Amino acid sequence: MAERIKTLRLILGDQLNHQHSWFKEEQDNLLYVFMEMRQETDYVVHHIQKITGFFSAMRNFSEYLKEREQEVIYLKINDSSNKQTLPENLNSLIFEHKIEKFEYQLPDEYRLDVQLKDFCKELSIASEVYDTEHFLTSRDDLARFYKGKKQMTMEYFYRDMRKKYEVLMVNSKDPEGGKWNFDKSNRKKWTGNPEIPHERGFRKDVSEIVREIKKAEIKSIGNIDPEKFNWPTSREDSLSVLNYFCKNLLVHFGDFQDALHTDEAYLFHSRLSFALNTKMLHPKEVIDSVISHWRENQDEIDLSQVEGFVRQILGWREYMRGIYWKEMPGYRRTNKLDNQNKLPEFYWNANTKMNCLKHSIQQSLDNAYAHHIQRLMITGNYALLTQTHPDEVDAWYLGIYIDAIEWVEITNTRGMSQFADGGIVATKPYVSSGAYINKMSNYCKGCVYDVKKKTGENSCPFNSLYWNFLDDKREFFKNNRRMAMMLNMLDKKSENELFRIKERANSIIQNPENF
């Protein structure tokens, strides 16, 4: 059989697209290869659930292809023939199977894109690259859209995408409901009602994969119950999660998408990001399913719930990917605020007295998951206010979350969360005092710190950190119109009050283990 195989096709761990045109062909001269590699497990320290999720999804997809009589080679992490790097494994397979052509799909991470381009330059056989057939934009669509514009405001890109794909449109110009954006309707605090359905669970046994990861001595973070793994790792699983979201969670998604609660990790969020980012689901089928369910249940589900969800996928997801390809490779080094501090140790163990951080980090360690407000306004907010180096923040976010792939992680972290890009993604930094956290959550209830106090031993650390940050970065933000009101309020503080604020903030920054 090996003698007939002439073309080698690589499938990366985030290219599990069952609907790709590759798999609609009838050819008997193809060899597909999947690789579990130290190259991918070790470039940052990943959550154990993230490594397990990718390995499980890759193995399931390889079995799917085998069942359809495709020739597949699967290199597991501990296989003796696994060289643990992409070029070495590919060279070995090309030689062993007398391959005459190498094909791959465009990687979504810059480092892999460069690695495969360099590999192909050295090849003595033909090579060809294909689109992943997943995203709704090409790599450079966003750069073209904003060419000549001073500010890349996401809203205008989102509206253009709505028109282009005829999503929630009355006609070619007008949005359904008369508004493009219902964001102001989606900021409710959840206090126990309505009741939140239990998340769609799988409780799969992944003990074998976990044993293999431990045998390979791969360093990881976080926790896992190997007998009750709860993430979708197949096309069937992913469709089940999508269906469950439509039927049980969509009805209140928009209302509470920014809410935070100590007892609820998922609230009404879909938990579809891992399925999307591995390409087990296509963004358009997710959007279409959600809108279709809403149309059939408009008496129960308001348009604002649906628009908020669509904006995340059709707007933010495509926008962030466009920013990534427009700004890389320089983007991963940008640090416009010149922040230099280390990320506190409690980001790896949740050992902090600050209730909001303790819950958000422990949840992340337990579930490899936190929703966007926990990431942006709790863990990200604290990292920015303590002026942490964005490299440190990137490594943590990229490692701890199951859905974190660099194209989506770095733009959200370095851009949206840390303002390290100086305003490419966001027009102002997403920072807040404890007041916002108290408004959107129950985290402040029962915390040892008083959210209403700015200084003093039991004052909320976010309060002094917030004003200290504004004072430290005053020069950088002095011409930012969106920061003018806060800087004016800062100017009204007495010299004595500002001294006490900065004293408290610097104590927190220098001794995070005490808080």
Side-chain angles (χ1 to χ4, degrees):
M1 178 68 81
E3 292 298 317
R4 295 191 291 110
I5 295 171
K6 300 297 181 184
T7 300
L8 179 68
R9 284 180 168 175
L10 171 68
I11 299 177
L12 297 172
D14 64 342
Q15 295 180 342
L16 312 181
N17 181 1
H18 293 66
Q19 298 165 309
H20 197 278
S21 58
W22 268 6
F23 313 122
K24 294 170 185 171
E25 304 169 3
E26 288 191 16
Q27 295 186 41
D28 61 358
N29 61 341
L30 298 173
L31 174 60
Y32 290 95
V33 61
F34 297 77
M35 308 176 191
E36 299 171 358
M37 297 177 290
R38 296 304 293 258
Q39 168 188 308
E40 296 305 295
T41 60
D42 295 5
Y43 66 90
V44 294
V45 181
H46 296 284
H47 199 295
I48 182 66
Q49 291 188 41
K50 183 180 182 184
I51 303 168
T52 301
F54 271 92
F55 284 8
S56 177
M58 289 163 66
R59 292 182 186 191
N60 285 334
F61 192 58
S62 73
E63 291 302 316
Y64 168 84
L65 292 182
K66 287 177 187 176
E67 288 168 4
R68 279 144 189 82
E69 299 182 347
Q70 300 284 359
E71 289 290 326
V72 176
I73 288 180
Y74 193 101
L75 294 175
K76 292 185 177 181
I77 194 68
N78 292 307
D79 286 352
S80 58
S81 58
N82 190 343
K83 316 289 186 188
Q84 303 298 340
T85 73
L86 206 47
E88 288 178 290
N89 279 334
L90 289 172
N91 277 324
S92 178
L93 290 167
I94 287 168
F95 176 78
E96 181 184 350
H97 295 278
K98 299 180 173 61
I99 298 297
E100 295 176 334
K101 187 181 182 186
F102 170 61
E103 298 178 348
Y104 69 98
Q105 296 174 28
L106 284 169
D108 287 312
E109 290 206 355
Y110 186 88
R111 64 185 176 86
L112 290 172
D113 194 55
V114 171
Q115 187 179 40
L116 282 164
K117 281 178 180 174
D118 290 346
F119 174 76
C120 289
K121 285 176 187 174
E122 302 297 320
L123 274 181
S124 58
I125 61 171
S127 63
E128 188 172 354
V129 61
Y130 293 77
D131 194 86
T132 59
E133 300 173 11
H134 173 81
F135 290 97
L136 301 172
T137 51
S138 69
R139 284 179 175 180
D140 54 1
D141 276 355
L142 183 128
R144 282 196 296 269
F145 182 79
Y146 287 112
K147 189 175 181 179
K149 296 183 174 70
K150 290 182 180 179
Q151 184 70 43
M152 292 186 288
T153 307
M154 194 281 289
E155 180 68 22
Y156 302 117
F157 171 78
Y158 169 54
R159 292 180 186 185
D160 187 69
M161 291 291 284
R162 290 266 296 270
K163 294 173 186 175
K164 182 178 179 181
Y165 284 97
E166 299 178 353
V167 172
L168 296 177
M169 298 295 294
V170 176
N171 51 47
S172 62
K173 294 181 180 179
D174 301 313
E176 290 202 39
K179 287 166 61 177
W180 289 101
N181 189 313
F182 289 83
D183 194 37
K184 289 181 180 177
S185 305
N186 299 343
R187 297 172 185 170
K188 294 180 182 176
K189 181 175 182 175
W190 187 77
T191 57
N193 283 304
E195 185 177 341
I196 298 168
H198 193 274
E199 76 270 14
R200 169 67 178 92
F202 298 101
R203 307 293 186 257
K204 289 174 291 191
D205 192 331
V206 292
S207 301
E208 181 185 345
I209 292 176
V210 173
R211 280 194 295 270
E212 291 176 42
I213 292 168
K214 289 180 179 175
K215 181 183 176 183
E217 297 182 345
I218 296 169
K219 189 177 179 183
S220 65
I221 54 176
N223 308 310
I224 190 170
D225 183 341
E227 296 178 359
K228 296 179 181 178
F229 190 66
N230 202 25
W231 287 98
T233 57
S234 68
R235 169 79 174 160
E236 184 181 21
D237 285 353
S238 302
L239 288 170
S240 177
V241 175
L242 173 57
N243 185 52
Y244 189 85
F245 171 69
C246 290
K247 289 185 175 178
N248 298 278
L249 304 170
L250 176 62
V251 63
H252 295 300
F253 167 79
D255 289 341
F256 302 104
Q257 66 172 315
D258 288 1
L260 308 146
H261 199 277
T262 53
D263 298 333
E264 294 293 340
Y266 305 113
L267 292 125
F268 294 95
H269 288 269
S270 70
R271 296 175 71 242
L272 287 167
S273 53
F274 178 67
L276 275 163
N277 291 355
T278 51
K279 302 181 179 56
M280 292 185 289
L281 290 178
H282 191 280
K284 191 62 165 61
E285 77 176 318
V286 172
I287 291 167
D288 289 346
S289 295
V290 167
I291 292 174
S292 176
H293 183 80
W294 165 67
R295 293 205 188 284
E296 293 169 8
N297 298 274
Q298 290 189 55
D299 291 343
E300 301 170 28
I301 305 173
D302 191 81
L303 174 59
S304 64
Q305 319 294 342
V306 180
E307 187 280 320
F309 184 82
V310 167
R311 190 177 348 117
Q312 298 297 321
I313 298 176
L314 188 64
W316 270 113
R317 190 170 185 267
E318 298 285 334
Y319 173 78
M320 287 302 198
R321 176 174 176 263
I323 294 285
Y324 180 79
W325 286 108
K326 181 180 182 297
E327 300 297 331
M328 285 293 279
Y331 200 80
R332 63 184 171 202
R333 293 186 293 272
T334 187
N335 184 9
K336 297 289 188 182
L337 293 177
D338 194 29
N339 289 336
Q340 299 294 333
N341 292 326
K342 297 278 288 181
L343 198 66
E345 186 64 27
F346 62 70
Y347 272 72
W348 282 268
N349 56 32
N351 188 19
T352 173
K353 291 180 282 187
M354 289 174 275
N355 216 25
C356 56
L357 281 161
K358 188 178 189 71
H359 275 281
S360 297
I361 293 169
Q362 190 61 59
Q363 178 191 304
S364 302
L365 291 168
D366 289 342
N367 303 323
Y369 169 87
H371 72 66
H372 65 288
I373 296 298
Q374 289 169 313
R375 301 187 199 196
L376 183 64
M377 300 309 300
I378 306 294
T379 52
N381 187 18
Y382 184 86
L384 180 52
L385 292 178
T386 52
Q387 301 172 45
T388 304
H389 197 292
D391 286 358
E392 296 257 316
V393 188
D394 265 336
W396 186 78
Y397 277 95
L398 189 55
I400 200 165
Y401 293 119
I402 195 167
D403 57 10
I405 300 170
E406 191 184 61
W407 67 266
V408 67
E409 176 278 323
I410 198 171
T411 45
N412 275 289
T413 299
R414 199 168 284 248
M416 183 81 170
S417 170
Q418 298 303 295
F419 207 78
D421 63 8
I424 292 173
V425 170
T427 54
K428 68 176 182 66
Y430 277 82
V431 288
S432 78
S433 65
Y436 174 82
I437 298 168
N438 191 40
K439 177 185 175 185
M440 296 307 299
S441 77
N442 71 335
Y443 287 156
C444 300
K445 186 179 180 182
C447 184
V448 298
Y449 298 109
D450 187 340
V451 70
K452 294 180 180 178
K453 290 180 68 175
K454 294 185 180 68
T455 57
E457 198 169 306
N458 71 327
S459 64
C460 173
F462 278 89
N463 293 339
S464 55
L465 288 170
Y466 176 75
W467 293 108
N468 177 71
F469 173 82
L470 292 181
D471 187 60
D472 282 357
K473 306 300 180 183
R474 184 195 296 259
E475 186 65 22
F476 188 91
F477 293 116
K478 66 180 181 181
N479 296 320
N480 186 320
R481 286 181 295 177
R482 295 199 67 195
M483 297 293 287
M485 184 176 76
M486 301 316 298
L487 291 176
N488 285 337
M489 290 177 68
L490 177 68
D491 289 338
K492 292 176 182 176
K493 295 190 180 300
S494 69
E495 191 175 317
N496 182 52
E497 183 184 8
L498 189 58
F499 174 81
R500 285 186 285 114
I501 284 171
K502 295 187 74 66
E503 185 179 47
R504 170 73 166 164
N506 285 315
S507 174
I508 297 163
I509 292 169
Q510 292 164 21
N511 306 285
E513 67 280 359
N514 295 337
F515 293 86

